[in-house]
Amino acid sequence: FYCIISIINSYYDGFVCSLLLPEEARRSALALRAFNVELAQVKDSVSQKTIGLMRMQFWKTAIDDIYRDEPPNQPVSAELWRAVRKHYLTKRWLQRIITEREKDLDDRAYRNLQELEAYSENTQSSLLYLLVECLGLKDVHADHAASHIGKAQGIVTCLRATPYHSSRRKVYLPMDICMLHGASQEDFIRGSREQNIRDVVYDIASQAHVHLQHARSFSHNVPAAATPAFLQTVVLEDYLQRVRRADFDVFHPSLQNRNPLLPFQLYLRSWKKTY
């Protein structure tokens, strides 16, 4: 129950995606997403990096304990232990998410798009590899799709969070693209809607689109049983279409509203067994 509340409050789209998974994978998927939310919230919820590092160390130790069948007395850890035991989840992916989130506590902008993609691979793609395992699959094509979808998700998450971060005088968008278009951090903090800011958003959004297209280009090789893990593509596609309609103005008010049709669109896609 704690896991469900945690996800609904922080990541409604992920919650809906989890509900559409086959029953045998649903509870484990919710545990993994709750674990991801716990780690993602560390950066915003601590005032000092030292406290953040202590929280990360708790999770590093918790993962070791989980794989020793001695989970700590904490709601998410208990559910994660259950998922690990049920699906024999790969420890390396859980560790990689923690390590990458820990590095991200440095609180600086990505130097370039490749750095953002590497962060996305180590966090979002790792989570998708685990979701595929929850579905009882170990498949190279499914993992290849997960890698690209995870990168697209990381890029879109960075864009979606830009208004929130800017309101807190923080900018994480890749510096090389900002410099290319002469956009300063101050422009984003002011919420500028000038053409050069839109050009930055266009370039970053385009790369997310490229990853989505690439993941779909070999979908015929991906087992149908893996597609429920990739329902997130509907959410990513929805944001990319809306940002395009807003002419790549990342601060446009329409982008702050949740699409009320999204749960229906997710259900439709899950019924079609495609991503």
Side-chain angles (χ1 to χ4, degrees):
F1 181 72
Y2 174 87
C3 292
I4 291 172
I5 296 299
S6 167
I7 301 167
I8 292 174
N9 287 344
S10 309
Y11 189 31
Y12 176 77
D13 300 334
F15 172 67
V16 176
C17 289
S18 298
L19 291 185
L20 291 168
L21 287 172
E23 193 176 349
E24 65 274 12
R26 205 173 297 151
R27 186 170 170 181
S28 301
L30 288 168
L32 286 167
R33 291 197 192 277
F35 165 71
N36 194 44
V37 165
E38 288 273 325
L39 293 174
Q41 286 178 338
V42 171
K43 186 174 176 178
D44 279 344
S45 63
V46 298
S47 52
Q48 293 173 305
K49 185 184 173 184
T50 320
I51 300 168
L53 290 170
M54 286 165 64
R55 295 268 290 276
M56 292 302 181
Q57 187 54 51
F58 164 81
W59 280 108
K60 284 180 181 177
T61 308
I63 296 301
D64 286 337
D65 291 345
I66 282 167
Y67 279 84
R68 281 201 300 266
D69 278 339
E70 297 169 3
N73 186 19
Q74 194 264 4
V76 176
S77 299
E79 284 297 307
L80 207 50
W81 172 66
R82 190 190 154 280
V84 165
R85 287 192 66 186
K86 184 175 182 180
H87 306 287
Y88 304 101
L89 300 179
T90 304
K91 185 180 182 182
R92 183 171 80 255
W93 301 136
L94 293 165
Q95 290 173 320
R96 199 162 83 152
I97 296 170
I98 300 169
T99 303
E100 195 64 31
R101 294 281 191 193
E102 185 177 63
K103 283 198 295 191
D104 195 47
L105 292 174
D106 286 337
D107 206 32
R108 59 173 180 78
Y110 299 101
R111 282 194 291 265
N112 48 46
L113 199 50
Q114 290 72 30
E115 210 174 69
L116 172 55
E117 286 176 328
Y119 172 76
S120 306
E121 164 69 37
N122 290 334
T123 53
Q124 304 291 358
S125 300
S126 295
L127 183 65
L128 289 175
Y129 300 147
L130 289 160
L131 287 177
V132 169
E133 289 184 356
C134 286
L135 293 167
L137 291 162
K138 291 234 193 298
D139 180 85
V140 66
H141 298 297
D143 283 350
H144 191 188
S147 175
H148 285 286
I149 293 166
K151 287 186 180 117
Q153 171 141 20
I155 293 168
V156 167
T157 301
C158 190
L159 280 176
R160 280 177 82 160
T162 297
Y164 168 73
H165 289 143
S166 298
S167 71
R168 304 181 73 196
R169 301 193 61 80
K170 293 183 185 299
V171 182
Y172 298 111
L173 298 172
M175 288 190 282
D176 62 336
I177 296 177
C178 292
M179 286 166 69
L180 179 69
H181 295 291
S184 67
Q185 292 206 341
E186 197 55 44
D187 290 333
F188 282 98
I189 289 164
R190 281 192 296 107
S192 169
R193 300 165 87 165
E194 297 298 321
Q195 188 57 48
N196 64 330
I197 299 299
R198 294 168 189 251
D199 290 341
V200 169
V201 174
Y202 171 81
D203 282 1
I204 296 170
S206 297
Q207 191 60 19
H209 182 70
V210 165
H211 282 298
L212 270 187
Q213 293 299 97
H214 191 62
R216 284 175 172 152
S217 69
F218 51 84
S219 61
H220 55 283
N221 293 325
V222 175
T227 56
F230 304 145
L231 281 174
Q232 200 61 31
T233 54
V234 177
V235 180
L236 305 181
E237 206 172 29
D238 174 68
Y239 179 81
L240 291 172
Q241 282 172 356
R242 289 197 294 149
V243 82
R244 189 168 69 237
R245 283 199 295 270
D247 196 22
F248 301 96
D249 173 12
V250 79
F251 296 103
H252 197 281
S254 67
L255 297 175
Q256 307 311 312
N257 303 327
R258 192 179 282 156
N259 177 359
L261 293 176
L262 208 55
F264 174 71
Q265 290 166 347
L266 283 163
Y267 175 75
L268 204 61
R269 189 70 61 89
S270 73
W271 181 71
K272 287 181 178 176
K273 289 190 166 45
T274 59
Y275 65 88

